[in-house]
Amino acid sequence: MTVDYNEAVAWVSGAGSGIGRSLCGALAGRGATVIATDIDREGVEATATVHPNSVLPDCVDVADADAVTASIRDAATDHGRIDLVFNNAGITGPFGEYRFVRTHHWDAILDTNLRGVINGVTAAYPIMVRQRGGHIVNTASAAGLLPIPGAVAYSTTKYAIVGLSRSLRAEAAGYGVGVSVLCPGALETPILDIAPPDDIADEPAFWMPDARKLFRRSTGIKDPDDFAHYALDRIAADVGVIVYGRRARTFARLGRLSPRVTDRVNRLVFASERKGNVDG
Ligand code: NAD
């Protein structure tokens, strides 16, 4: 299960921005050929222009299982094999107090964050089993190891990605296939510009935390390029669950050792953030 990035063939979703773009740059810098995919054609073409010889753009919606399967299959066919698949595309979904969230607000986040990862894993895994090698890397978040009040839907999808990745990791090892899950704290990307769903934004009592302020005070906000290099090193070391950021690691450890203390801290932080916004 060794990972050699030089001359590897990698497929990345959500590559038109943020972490996906940083992963493409880090992979190309280490000698890989990268199939960079995103629902945003302009974004992914912009990613590819920085590394025109090694990053190849493809417009793919991760919620579309057929499109994901075709893109990963074509990458493996065109290049003779597929060494790394990064299921990275994600959105924040409905942020804010859960009392305003309705079931339809879950549709997009389940389709993108959860089904998107399932689609990528299900397309890549049989190919890698046949190859007897390869590595699947799913982007979860520190929110997949710690409950995040105010981000119930997001945290739910990220916990599910951690569960999927760790369960499959044990099964895949027998075929020489690696599975890792990325759990970074906050990183400076456009995903932090969180807006509430249109149909609840006008609710007079609606309240959601100021995400940048909250993250600055909790995990801190780090650089996605630094994270991408750290992630590639940790994938090569095959550590499985890759937590990034000192504070994120501390919180994750605390969450493991004492869920009760974590819940208490969460309750206090959320109550203090919400102060003055409890009517309605
Ligand atoms: P970003 O918004 O910069 O990038 C996300 C990319 O995903 C965008 O290019 C977007 O077009 C693409 N995308 C959205 N829906 C898609 C779909 N249906 N099909 C294909 N592509 C789609 O955000 P980011 O911070 O780079 O986020 C990447 C991943 O990292 C997400 O899964 C996110 O949850 C996770 N993450 C981010 C942070 C952070 O603080 N930035 C922290 C932990 C985890």
Side-chain angles (χ1 to χ4, degrees):
M1 249 176 304
T2 51
V3 179
D4 182 1
Y5 294 109
N6 192 30
E7 296 189 6
V9 179
W11 184 95
V12 181
S13 72
S17 173
I19 297 171
R21 179 171 286 173
S22 296
L23 285 168
C24 290
L27 286 161
R30 295 182 190 211
T33 297
V34 188
I35 296 85
T37 73
D38 202 289
I39 198 169
D40 171 8
R41 183 180 296 281
E42 275 181 28
V44 80
E45 283 174 353
T47 300
T49 52
V50 183
H51 306 276
N53 298 322
S54 45
V55 178
L56 313 167
D58 191 11
C59 188
V60 178
D61 176 356
V62 293
D64 180 343
D66 291 341
V68 172
T69 303
S71 179
I72 291 177
R73 186 198 53 219
D74 290 352
T77 306
D78 293 350
H79 300 277
R81 56 181 292 110
I82 188 114
D83 299 298
L84 294 140
V85 166
F86 290 82
N87 296 300
N88 166 75
I91 58 175
T92 50
F95 253 63
E97 277 195 90
Y98 196 77
R99 63 185 172 135
F100 297 101
V101 174
R102 301 292 171 259
T103 50
H104 69 273
H105 294 130
W106 283 80
D107 294 344
I109 192 165
L110 287 177
D111 282 350
T112 308
N113 292 17
L114 192 46
R115 234 171 229 297
V117 172
I118 293 168
N119 290 338
V121 168
T122 310
Y125 186 56
I127 300 174
M128 291 182 175
V129 168
R130 276 198 299 279
Q131 294 175 167
R132 292 292 190 270
H135 205 114
I136 294 171
V137 185
N138 300 321
T139 305
S141 162
L145 302 171
L146 280 169
I148 310 289
V152 171
Y154 184 76
S155 190
T156 300
T157 62
K158 297 305 186 180
Y159 265 80
I161 294 168
V162 172
L164 183 162
S165 307
R166 294 194 58 200
S167 305
L168 183 62
R169 177 177 166 79
E171 198 179 311
Y175 295 105
V177 176
V179 181
S180 298
V181 61
L182 307 181
C183 298
L187 303 168
E188 186 47 69
T189 76
I191 209 172
L192 299 187
D193 301 325
I194 300 167
D198 290 345
D199 59 344
I200 52 178
D202 294 336
E203 289 272 356
F206 173 75
W207 175 79
M208 69 174 210
D210 175 335
R212 281 176 196 278
K213 194 173 128 214
L214 193 67
F215 294 139
R216 237 175 263 123
R217 288 171 56 187
S218 54
T219 63
I221 302 179
K222 301 193 173 301
D223 179 68
D225 286 342
D226 293 345
F227 168 64
H229 283 288
Y230 177 85
L232 295 194
D233 290 344
R234 301 300 277 166
I235 292 161
D238 198 28
V239 297
V241 180
I242 298 169
V243 186
Y244 182 64
R246 194 172 45 80
R247 280 191 259 167
R249 264 197 300 276
T250 305
F251 290 138
R253 202 167 296 138
L254 179 66
R256 252 192 342 266
L257 294 176
S258 180
R260 276 182 75 183
V261 173
T262 307
D263 285 352
R264 217 178 147 67
V265 171
N266 256 340
R267 214 176 299 165
L268 290 171
V269 170
F270 194 70
S272 95
E273 289 285 324
R274 190 176 47 182
K275 214 164 166 208
N277 293 282
V278 288
D279 297 336

